[in-house]
Amino acid sequence: MTRSPLVEEAPATPAASGTRRGGGGRGGGAGAPARPPALLERYGRLLAGEVQAVVGRLHPAVRPALEHHFAAVGKGVRGALALLSAAAVGAPEEVAVPGAVALELVHNFSLIHDDVIDGDQERRHQPTVWAKFGLGPAIVSGDALLLAAVELLLADPSPQRVRAAAVLAQATQAMIAGQAEDMAFEGRALVSVEECLAMEAGKTGALLACAASLGAILGEGSDAQVAALAAYGAHVGIAFQAVDDVLGIWGDPTVTGKPVGSDLLARKRTLPVTIALAAGDARAEELASLLDGPLSSSELARATELLAGGRREAMAVAEAHVHNALAALADAGLVEGPAAELAELAWFVLERDR
C-alpha cells in the first residue's frame, strides 16, 4: 500500500511486528473477512460472565435494558487489551480483570449513548436500547454502566487501582470530548483532515490507549512499559476508527448491521470524506454539493464512487498507525508471547470487516 502522507510511518521491527496476514489493509469487506484472534474469544468468555455479574448487581429498573444490550456480544477488544497488557509486563492476567471489566462497561456506556445521539435503531443485529426501551432508560442505563466501572476499580483502593481509576477517568473525558467534536463537525461544511484525526484520537484512541496500559498499571509494570503500551493503544485506536469510517460507508450490511452508506446518509465528516473533500478538485466540489442535502439512492451511489480515493487514503492511514503501534512495543521489554498477541490484535483491527 502506498505510504500515507497524513501520518509518519515508523517501520515495525521484527520483534514487534508479528506475522502479517495476506491482503493487509483491505478493510470495508474487500477480500476474505478477517477472523478475530483466538484471544478475543478466550477473553470474551471470561469477561462476559464478569460483566453480567456487575449488571446483576445494578438497580432492577436498569437491568432489563442492559441485559438486552449485552445479549449481543461485541468484539471485546478493550478488555482483551487490558488483560494482555498485564501479561505483557509479566503479571498474572487475573490482576487486570477489574480494569478489563471497567473498560468494557465504559465502552458500552458510550455505545448506548452514541445510539441515542445518532438515532441508530439497530446495533449488532438487534434493536438499540433507546429504540426498544426509550430515550430515558437508554440514558440512565448508560449512566449506570459508567459509574459501575469506577465503583468496580475503587472497591479495593490499592495504589494501582486508584491510579487505574484516574487513568480511566481521564480517557473517558477525552472520549467524550472527541464525541462532542464529532457532533460539532456534522454542522460544518468543511473539516480538515488534521481536525478529523485529532477528533478520532480522542473519540476512539483515548480509551484504547487506556485499555492497552491499564493492565500494565494493575500489574505493576514500569513507567516505560506503561507509556509504550499507551502509545501502542493510541495508534491502534486511530487505526480502529479509520477502519470503522470505511466500514460505515462500504461495509456489508449483513455483517455490520448498519444500512449501506449509513455514515454518508447521516452526512458524517468521517476520515474518507474529509480526505476526499480536502483534495479541492472537481470531484471534491461535486461531493461537497451532494453532501449539502439528503441523498437519494442514486446520489448515494455517486457520492460513494467519488470517495474511492478517500477510502484508499483512510486505509493507508490505518495501516501506518498499525506499524507505529508495533514500533512502540519494540524496546519496551515485554514478555514475548503476549507481545506477539498484541501484534496479532493490531493486524486484526486493520483487516476486520465489522
Side-chain angles (χ1 to χ4, degrees):
M1 178 172 289
T2 303
R3 178 178 171 177
S4 167
L6 302 177
V7 63
E8 174 119 10
E9 181 173 341
T13 64
S17 62
T19 301
R20 181 176 171 181
R21 293 184 287 275
R26 54 184 175 257
R35 288 182 57 82
L39 68 96
L40 289 185
E41 298 178 9
R42 182 173 82 240
Y43 290 148
R45 289 191 296 270
L46 166 66
L47 295 179
E50 296 290 335
V51 168
Q52 288 171 3
V54 172
V55 170
R57 294 194 295 269
L58 296 177
H59 193 279
V62 300
R63 284 206 300 262
L66 292 174
E67 287 167 354
H68 166 79
H69 175 76
F70 284 111
V73 180
K75 292 175 283 294
V77 170
R78 291 152 189 84
L81 277 174
L83 295 172
L84 260 184
S85 72
V89 300
E93 292 174 347
E94 291 76 14
V95 303
V97 168
V101 174
L103 281 157
E104 288 301 312
L105 296 175
V106 169
H107 173 55
N108 282 279
F109 137 76
S110 74
L111 296 182
I112 292 171
H113 283 197
D114 284 355
D115 288 337
V116 171
I117 293 166
D118 296 337
D120 289 341
Q121 297 192 39
E122 185 173 311
R123 176 176 293 279
R124 301 169 186 160
H125 303 287
Q126 67 174 23
T128 55
V129 172
W130 80 264
K132 183 175 177 66
F133 294 90
L135 291 174
I139 292 169
V140 297
S141 62
D143 291 345
L145 289 183
L146 177 59
L147 273 297
V150 177
E151 189 176 42
L152 181 64
L153 279 173
L154 295 181
D156 174 15
S158 66
Q160 293 77 28
R161 292 275 200 103
V162 171
R163 181 183 176 189
V167 169
L168 180 60
Q170 291 162 5
T172 304
Q173 286 282 23
M175 177 185 69
I176 292 170
Q179 178 63 43
E181 289 179 338
D182 191 23
M183 293 164 58
F185 288 170
E186 292 181 32
R188 289 172 51 180
L190 185 62
V191 175
S192 73
V193 175
E194 291 74 17
E195 286 177 312
C196 182
L197 286 170
M199 176 271 292
E200 297 191 343
K203 179 181 176 182
T204 306
L207 199 60
L208 280 167
C210 175
S213 61
L214 210 63
I217 291 171
L218 293 170
E220 301 186 55
S222 69
D223 288 345
Q225 288 174 322
V226 170
L229 286 161
Y232 159 90
H235 285 297
V236 167
I238 295 175
F240 190 103
Q241 187 58 53
V243 173
D244 242 25
D245 290 350
V246 170
L247 293 173
I249 298 172
W250 292 276
D252 181 349
T254 64
V255 176
T256 65
K258 294 184 178 182
V260 173
S262 58
D263 282 355
L264 272 184
L265 291 169
R267 288 180 285 173
K268 286 181 171 290
R269 293 305 190 253
T270 58
L271 188 57
V273 174
T274 57
I275 289 170
L277 291 174
D281 54 15
R283 290 171 68 88
E285 291 179 5
E286 183 182 354
L287 178 63
S289 178
L290 286 171
L291 296 179
D292 194 39
L295 294 170
S296 65
S297 57
S298 62
E299 289 170 332
L300 175 63
R302 177 57 179 161
T304 303
E305 181 184 343
L306 292 168
L307 281 167
R311 175 182 184 171
R312 289 192 298 271
E313 191 64 27
M315 290 308 302
V317 169
E319 183 168 357
H321 275 285
V322 167
H323 281 290
N324 284 342
L326 301 181
L329 302 180
D331 299 315
L334 302 177
V335 177
E336 185 176 348
E341 289 193 299
L342 286 167
E344 179 73 5
L345 189 53
W347 284 120
F348 166 71
V349 162
L350 181 67
E351 299 175 357
R352 65 197 173 89
D353 60 357
R354 66 187 71 198

